[in-house]
Amino acid sequence: MKLKTLISLSFFSVFAFAQAQNNTSYWQQHVDYKMNVDMNVEDYNYTGKQELVYTNNSPDTLDQVFYHLYFNAFQPGSEMDMRSLTIKDPDRRVVDRISKLEPDEIGFLKVNTLFQDGTALTYNVAGTVLEVSLAKPIAPGESTTFKMDFNGQVPVQIRRSGRNNAEGVALSMTQWYPKLAEYDFEGWHADPYIAREFHGVWGDFDVKITIDSDYTIGGTGYLQNPEIGHGYGEPGQKAVKPTKGKYTWHFVAPNVHDFTWAADPDYIHDKLTAEDGTVLHFFYKDNKEIVENWKKMQPKTAELLAYYNEHVGQYLYDQYSVIQGGDGGMEYAMCTLITGERSFGSLVGVTAHEFAHTWFQFLMATNEQKHEWMDEGFTSYISDEAMNTVMEQNKPNPQAGNYNSYFRLATSGFEQPQTTYADRYALNAAYGASAYSKGAVFLAQLGYVIGKENLDETLKQYFDKWHFKHPTPNDFKRVAEKVSGMQLDWYLIDWTQTTNTIDYAIKNVEEVDGKTQVTLERKGLMPMPIDFYVNTTDDTNEAYYIPLRMMRAEKANPFPEMTRTQLEDWTWANPTYTFTIDKPLAEIKAMTIDAQQLMADIDRTNNSWSKETE
């Protein structure tokens, strides 16, 4: 039986953190939230009570904590506002809109009282971060309870969160509550919110949301009282409430690091049980122009789930919700918010991408401020592979678009290393191409280096070893090394910590003593092993493999039916490499470096030689 129930997940949570406490080489913090929220849908203000139990599994004594107050970003003069006003290519959804918000349109989160184990605390609001001095330090292995009264205002929909989005969804409630910042082996991650991604602490959430009775809610967690709205969960129906007033929706979510919800009085709610038992929920507006596409998308979502289960790892919760809302597409715990007025292909495409985030962001959860490419890039890679299968696109290389996007970045003059902090990219376009496209090419090209079968196995073992653990780039690299038997530090460093590029060329071809002598040149700074293919005049194909010495191993022949000759290692410091083909030049029709075009060579015009062009 899969690890998918509330009880089993809660047990896993306790077991994992107990193990962490006994293992000085790995640990992570834990939080349990209880929240009661009352929403006023007339003025979009809400009040909340939060009880948070924080367990310090670190070896450090903590004398302060930090909370994120994300909604404070949606105010004139905020860091998000200033960044959008000063960056050369602002997000078209933001631009100068925050600077023009009126007081009843802004977002805010205000902490009214905060206690630690019954003692009032002092704190300071610094933009989107609450700085809290503790009354009593939290020693290693100890837990403490914070109680907070807070209130907030939902901003006009601008970025991810907000009210009354462009498609008329009333409430997209993402990053809406005071959220404790993550503390890990690197220290506190109390990052200001400037429109990039999020990082959080795993824990169990128990959330009650009181709202007008004609609203239907979808989001994170399992609904504990479905009887509150007659028709909730009935396929293809709006929730028809028998009385006026307010209802309280009660959700629990085990072992997640966020809690998101959306609400609208006109949601249609469909359900579909997938082959593995996961219940897929769909919430979308009662709009006749989109209903057909949303219906057709639902079995495709089940196919996507099956693909990710097979190629990454088993989805570990009992349900997942696809919800119309937000300002594009964004992943959250057990759900995604997407805009829904799309073509069928676009609707499936955005669902494929956001759903795939569940494996890389919400079940492994790298720190996206520091390693955004590990989430966005890996998600782009696997969702493109899934779309190729599920939508029967039949592309010979589903990653071709990502390669082309990377080539434009690498030759633009604007590329920054992938180790750049997510908020520090000079251009939004450079961030996007680096995180999404270059991140996807990292995986696709790794398949070239270690072999596709080893890449596939690496992804599975990576998920199996690191879900619920916030992995780092080195954690992924070590899995790939163990699977492949190769040394890969050079690959991780050059690709992610520099802007070195790959450029190999066929420098010279000549006949010497009745044999063909080929000289290759490394023109770029980044080294790679070389797959070299020869097509003879009798249309026979042969392969020559030149290992990179620093790999300390070789990959298997990707085409076992083709004769392959393994040559001596190429050392990186030598810019040229010469070898001999035991055939006269007259018998050779063409030669190519990396015929599959899986190596991200920025100039492929010099990768081929043919008799016709001689």
Side-chain angles (χ1 to χ4, degrees):
M1 177 176 284
K2 293 178 294 184
L3 183 67
K4 293 185 64 179
T5 65
L6 169 61
I7 295 175
S8 60
L9 271 172
S10 296
F11 170 78
F12 174 86
S13 175
V14 172
F15 176 77
F17 293 115
Q19 289 292 96
Q21 285 182 283
N22 294 324
N23 181 355
T24 56
S25 65
Y26 178 80
W27 52 268
Q28 60 174 292
Q29 308 294 66
H30 183 75
V31 290
D32 287 322
Y33 286 87
K34 288 185 178 179
M35 290 188 284
N36 287 273
V37 183
D38 193 319
M39 172 65 69
N40 185 332
V41 298
E42 299 300 324
D43 61 9
Y44 303 102
N45 277 249
Y46 58 100
T47 59
K49 293 183 179 295
Q50 181 187 92
E51 179 179 309
L52 189 156
V53 179
Y54 183 58
T55 300
N56 179 18
N57 290 310
S58 82
D60 307 319
T61 297
L62 305 179
D63 58 9
Q64 61 180 341
V65 298
F66 300 89
Y67 287 79
H68 297 285
L69 305 175
Y70 292 108
F71 270 7
N72 289 354
F74 300 102
Q75 300 175 12
S78 71
E79 288 192 68
M80 185 187 291
D81 181 31
M82 295 308 299
R83 181 60 170 159
S84 185
L85 291 173
T86 57
I87 196 169
K88 290 182 179 179
D89 61 337
D91 189 312
R92 58 181 175 75
R93 292 164 293 196
V94 183
V95 198
D96 62 350
R97 291 178 63 203
I98 296 176
S99 68
K100 298 177 179 178
L101 292 177
E102 297 295 332
D104 62 346
E105 297 175 324
I106 66 170
F108 62 72
L109 271 173
K110 295 180 179 178
V111 176
N112 302 314
T113 61
L114 179 59
F115 293 84
Q116 178 193 7
D117 298 327
T119 302
L121 297 178
T122 59
Y123 49 84
N124 177 61
V125 176
T128 60
V129 175
L130 186 75
E131 305 165 340
V132 182
S133 299
L134 298 181
K136 177 186 176 183
I138 313 170
E142 289 188 349
S143 297
T144 194
T145 300
F146 298 106
K147 291 187 177 180
M148 174 191 296
D149 284 359
F150 67 94
N151 67 290
Q153 179 169 284
V154 185
V156 170
Q157 177 78 50
I158 291 179
R159 191 68 185 96
R160 296 195 175 99
S161 298
R163 69 201 203 219
N164 302 321
N165 80 347
E167 297 179 348
V169 175
L171 291 167
S172 298
M173 299 296 289
T174 68
Q175 309 300 329
W176 55 274
Y177 60 94
K179 179 179 178 180
L180 197 70
E182 176 69 291
Y183 181 85
D184 62 17
F185 70 99
E186 295 177 312
W188 284 103
H189 297 282
D191 304 304
Y193 182 36
I194 312 179
R196 290 287 185 235
E197 310 290 0
F198 312 106
H199 193 40
V201 193
W202 263 290
D204 297 338
F205 283 71
D206 186 318
V207 180
K208 295 178 179 178
I209 303 165
T210 301
I211 194 169
D212 282 36
S213 60
D214 56 347
Y215 279 68
T216 296
I217 293 179
T220 304
Y222 307 122
L223 183 62
Q224 301 299 291
N225 55 342
E227 71 281 355
I228 67 168
H230 175 71
Y232 184 86
E234 295 298 324
Q237 295 183 12
K238 290 192 293 181
V240 180
K241 308 301 193 309
T243 62
K244 291 294 183 182
K246 282 191 169 185
Y247 286 146
T248 298
W249 301 66
H250 183 197
F251 297 91
V252 297
N255 217 30
V256 297
H257 53 90
D258 192 19
F259 189 97
T260 290
W261 57 283
D264 193 87
D266 295 320
Y267 269 151
I268 291 174
H269 175 209
D270 292 339
K271 291 192 296 185
L272 174 66
T273 301
E275 189 176 77
D276 71 340
T278 301
V279 179
L280 300 171
H281 295 257
F282 303 88
F283 297 87
Y284 54 100
K285 294 280 285 185
D286 187 13
N287 176 352
K288 64 181 180 180
E289 295 182 1
I290 69 171
V291 167
E292 181 180 357
N293 282 344
W294 275 81
K295 298 290 187 185
K296 289 168 55 182
M297 179 260 288
Q298 295 171 24
K300 291 297 182 182
T301 306
E303 292 181 51
L304 291 166
L305 172 63
Y307 187 94
Y308 299 142
N309 281 345
E310 178 183 356
H311 293 276
V312 186
Q314 179 61 51
Y315 180 68
L316 294 177
Y317 303 102
D318 287 332
Q319 71 179 46
Y320 185 84
S321 298
V322 181
I323 306 168
Q324 186 180 1
D327 63 348
M330 182 63 192
E331 73 278 4
Y332 300 102
M334 301 171 66
C335 67
T336 178
L337 266 63
I338 62 174
T339 48
E341 295 177 2
R342 301 167 174 264
S343 68
F344 174 63
S346 176
L347 194 62
V348 177
V350 71
T351 301
H353 183 86
E354 304 309 335
F355 198 5
H357 272 296
T358 291
W359 281 260
F360 294 111
Q361 174 55 8
F362 274 95
L363 283 168
M364 283 190 280
T366 56
N367 182 348
E368 290 187 277
Q369 291 284 15
K370 299 187 67 174
H371 314 301
E372 63 278 357
W373 59 273
M374 291 184 71
D375 173 41
E376 295 295 354
F378 289 15
T379 293
S380 295
Y381 171 84
I382 202 67
S383 60
D384 286 345
E385 295 290 317
M387 283 290 286
N388 201 43
T389 297
V390 170
M391 296 298 283
E392 300 178 350
Q393 295 172 335
N394 300 316
K395 297 178 180 178
N397 181 5
Q399 306 304 322
N402 289 316
Y403 277 85
N404 290 333
S405 176
Y406 163 68
F407 293 146
R408 289 191 293 272
L409 172 69
T411 57
S412 68
F414 296 109
E415 184 183 9
Q416 296 171 250
Q418 287 183 312
T419 49
T420 302
Y421 197 76
D423 289 322
R424 308 288 194 272
Y425 281 83
L427 297 173
N428 279 322
Y431 164 83
S434 180
Y436 292 75
S437 300
K438 189 178 181 181
V441 174
F442 173 90
L443 281 187
Q445 183 174 247
L446 181 62
Y448 168 82
V449 173
I450 67 177
K452 181 62 163 60
E453 69 287 351
N454 282 330
L455 172 64
D456 294 344
E457 183 61 23
T458 294
L459 282 174
K460 294 176 184 177
Q461 290 198 23
Y462 173 57
F463 178 81
D464 185 61
K465 179 178 176 61
W466 286 103
H467 63 269
F468 295 129
K469 291 183 181 178
H470 296 305
T472 66
N474 190 66
D475 296 323
F476 178 81
K477 183 208 74 171
R478 292 294 293 133
V479 173
E481 287 181 330
K482 291 173 182 177
V483 168
S484 67
M486 299 180 187
Q487 300 301 307
L488 297 169
D489 209 41
W490 62 274
Y491 184 69
L492 180 67
I493 289 172
D494 270 66
W495 191 255
T496 69
Q497 298 178 25
T498 77
T499 56
N500 292 345
T501 56
I502 300 164
D503 186 9
Y504 282 86
I506 298 176
K507 184 177 184 180
N508 189 56
V509 177
E510 61 182 333
E511 185 171 313
V512 178
D513 297 330
K515 299 179 180 181
T516 299
Q517 189 177 85
V518 179
T519 298
L520 305 182
E521 181 181 11
R522 176 187 55 76
K523 302 177 73 174
L525 284 174
M526 182 167 176
M528 290 292 285
I530 298 298
D531 286 347
F532 191 84
Y533 296 94
V534 177
N535 179 246
T536 62
T537 53
D538 62 358
D539 278 333
T540 299
N541 293 312
E542 298 178 6
Y544 291 80
Y545 176 56
I546 308 173
L548 182 66
R549 179 175 289 180
M550 65 182 73
M551 289 168 55
R552 313 300 174 190
E554 299 79 34
K555 74 172 177 181
N557 185 356
F559 301 105
E561 71 282 0
M562 185 185 301
T563 300
R564 186 181 80 163
T565 301
Q566 182 169 308
L567 302 174
E568 293 295 318
D569 292 350
W570 188 343
T571 59
W572 172 83
N574 194 334
T576 62
Y577 183 99
T578 300
F579 66 99
T580 299
I581 299 171
D582 194 17
K583 285 182 175 64
L585 188 57
E587 293 183 14
I588 295 177
K589 185 190 296 184
M591 294 181 285
T592 304
I593 297 172
D594 178 31
Q596 293 179 281
Q597 297 191 343
L598 294 175
M599 188 169 68
D601 191 312
I602 62 167
D603 181 8
R604 288 174 172 164
T605 63
N606 52 24
N607 287 12
S608 299
W609 175 97
S610 68
K611 185 167 293 184
E612 288 77 8
T613 58
E614 267 297 283

